[in-house]
Amino acid sequence: MAVVDKAGPHRDSRSFSEIVNDEKYRSVFYQIVVAIAVIWAANYLFTNTSANLEARGMSAGFGFLSSTAGFSIAWSIIDYQAGDTYFDVFIVGIANTLLVSLVAVVASTFFGFVVGVMRLSKNFLVAKLASTYVEIMRNVPLLLHILFWYTVSAALPRPNTSLELFDAFFLNNRGLYMPAPVPGDGFSLAVIAAVLGIIIAYVIAVWAKKRQLATGERFPAFWVGMAVIFGLPIVVFVIMGSPLSFDFAELKGFNYQGGASVPRAFCALLFALSVYHTVFMAEAVRAGILSVSHGQTEASYALGLKPSWTLRLVVIPQAMRAVVPPMISNWMNVVKNSSLAIAIGYPDLVAVFMQTSLNQSGHAIEIVAMVMLFYMTVSLTISAALNYYNKLVQIKER
Amino acid sequence: MTDTMQTDAVFHPKPSMPPPPNTVGVVGWMRKNLFGSLVDGILTIGCLALVLYVLNSVLQYTLINAVWTANSYRECLDINKGEGACWAGISVWFNSMMYGRYPDPEQWRINLAFVTLFAWMAPFWFPKVSGKMLVGASAVLTFPFLAAQLFLGGETSLFHQAMVSVALVLFITVWLHVGTSYLMGRSIGDVLVGITGFADKDDRLHKWVHMGFFGVGFVLAFLYQSSWEFVEVPITVWGGLFLTLVISGIGIASALPNGILLALGRRSKMPVIRVFCTSFIELFRSVPLITILFMAVTMMPLFLPVEINPPKLIMVIVAVCLFSAAYMAETVRAGLQAINKGQYEAAQAMGLNFWKMMALIVMPQALKLMIPNIVGSFIGLMKDTTLVSIIGLYDILLMAKAAGQNPTWLGFHTEPLLFTASFFFVICFCMSKYSQHLERTIGGGYGRR
């Protein structure tokens, strides 16, 4: 193929106005202007920052991460002592943030489905109750929810008159106390069995799908898979002689000792996050279900599918396509909003690292950058998962 | 044909029987919507019990056991043993929660500014008034100067005084325009041209007539406003709902223009601009607002020259503006993506350049489509403004918390929070209902007819 000669014979005779009005030259010019402006701004900020740091006698760099933080953290899911380093504080903060967001995600997703389905109920009272809940909760700022539930939870009884459930769970104004599982010898075998069960269930599902596509015969892959996932570890667990005991919390002196516990701030934060985000999950569910046209249901009935199959094979798969994307971005919002924990003193990443550590060490730039990097990692991971899901379920057209 | 037909042989159907009494009226409605099946009935009764229980508790707390007059929280507790609300405290703290520590004798200035803003925006709801875009633009561009003068007071620069005068002239013009539109059915410009007798002259002269009136008005307004003597109120004493509205108002007003620019940049064909806008949007959207606020108050002093030390409020407003712009950009981008490519091509075929194509063809459609989302992000911003209390600005939420730390009102926590929550509920609920209304009235024109 002949190479097209872009520089035609008239190239040299172009007048100035032709060059000015040429889109290509213009766009290059604009880009150079923007690039110079950005570089100038970055340079300006950099010189100012170094001048400021010098004036305050501070040095930049991540060396401070290995020095002792020297403050204690009210509560953490992983071990932390007052003598640990700033980097340990960072990890503790991340663990605490992820813990509360994970539980809140599970709770709000579950209740979101409940409320979303309730709003579509044919029962007038049920639907109105759900929509009233949605309207009230979503029009009040999350921070107010958190402060409100934290204030209200201060009125819980004192430890010696705790609310009890089965003599194992205790709720009082210090927090929630639960039995802690203590794994014995051979418990790891049961865990391995559980992982193995999941793999086997996956293989069965793939096989069943292949067989159905080939022969049209259906295999109850879901129930068999569930039986394998739960059955296998239970069998191993029983064979090994139930190597799991529980450490119960007990009232000793003024408070409960032993067991596992979460502070009141955790409970209030979790409750507020769940109450608030349930609304957005519910809206996603409602919109998703409404997005499946009624014709789909009718077509499915016309093919002779029974109502339960219609729901499971026709309506839900199509609704999920519209439900999942907003739901996943809500999960991301839960993680981001858990940073409001700082208002009630739950030691999450922002509270322990961006506030306490920053105030103590003064390394503002490094600490802000690290915290932002964490949140960006989480949100980029979640949006990558979302893109993958979208690609998976998008309608494949001819 | 007709003469062979016998009229008495025509079939007269019997009137249909009335529907069974239990399928119509209240009973029928209840059978259909509340007790459709056994499960439905159980659900209904369960929900009814829940509603009654909640209503009863709420009424007990807010009305029946509430205390309306007391001088301290202790007194309230002595009267109702903590069983009900202590609304007496709200009336004591009301002023602080509205205005913060803004001095009492100067608070009329805040009220005046907000009344002016509403009056300025009111013509939007008058169907007969033309040129609504001009009304909106005049308010957005010049009201901030008037508001700053009222809120801050003190000595101002000559430029600021000039802008305040422009704002005054434009505000009066808007209302004269409303008057002439309703009384004479003509715009203020036509009326001015008419009374000076230039109506049948060249159009270019009309513009000079307008300018002349504007100039006279400007001089009068300038002389009038130079007589103002407002006591200076430093922004460190601003607080309460006033501060919340200032921060969210500036955030909301700046979000749309900045968001549109960022969205256009992200869709631009120029790689440098696209990369810059995309990374800005993604950075600000992926981190929580509280980290951006912390960044503003800890890092901005480092970024600026040593001798400049801006007040916290300014840094927070900058942070909120950047944050809201990033969110708005994604909303606008979604709207732009929904516009058919044919619209762009048709605009280009008409010979419109890029900015005219965007302003006249694409943006009106894209923004109309996105009204619910745009208002949604305004509501979100309004709610997010409460976060400034975490970094120590005395907005309505921090004032509410401060009430419970006062020695006389120690422990007075729940009521101020409930009061604040009801404020936000009213504002946000009205905004969302209004956006649904807008969607029906102006957004409905889009789509297949």
Side-chain angles (χ1 to χ4, degrees), chain A residues 125-144:
Chain A
L125 203 57
V126 172
K128 275 284 168 256
L129 197 65
S131 61
T132 311
Y133 172 85
V134 167
E135 286 299 348
I136 290 179
M137 291 307 170
R138 77 151 154 217
N139 284 318
V140 173
L142 175 62
L143 188 57
L144 263 166

Side-chain angles (χ1 to χ4, degrees), chain A residues 31 44 48-49 52 56 123-125 129 135 138-139 141 143-144 151 276 336 339 354 368 372 375-376 379, chain B residues 29 33 40 44 51 270-272 283 285-286 288 290 301-305 327 383 386 397 413 425 428:
Chain A
Q31 294 186 59
Y44 176 75
N48 282 334
T49 310
N52 272 306
R56 297 177 193 191
N123 187 319
F124 175 80
L125 203 57
L129 197 65
E135 286 299 348
R138 77 151 154 217
N139 284 318
L143 188 57
L144 263 166
T151 312
Y276 184 73
K336 286 197 281 181
S339 60
M354 212 169 184
V368 169
M372 287 197 162
Y375 282 108
M376 281 182 76
S379 83
Chain B
W29 183 87
N33 292 308
D40 235 14
T44 299
V51 168
M270 304 179 226
V272 174
L283 173 71
R285 276 170 53 85
S286 62
I290 186 70
L302 291 177
F303 283 159
L304 293 171
Y327 273 79
K383 290 190 293 179
T386 49
L397 190 52
H413 292 300
F425 176 78
C428 297

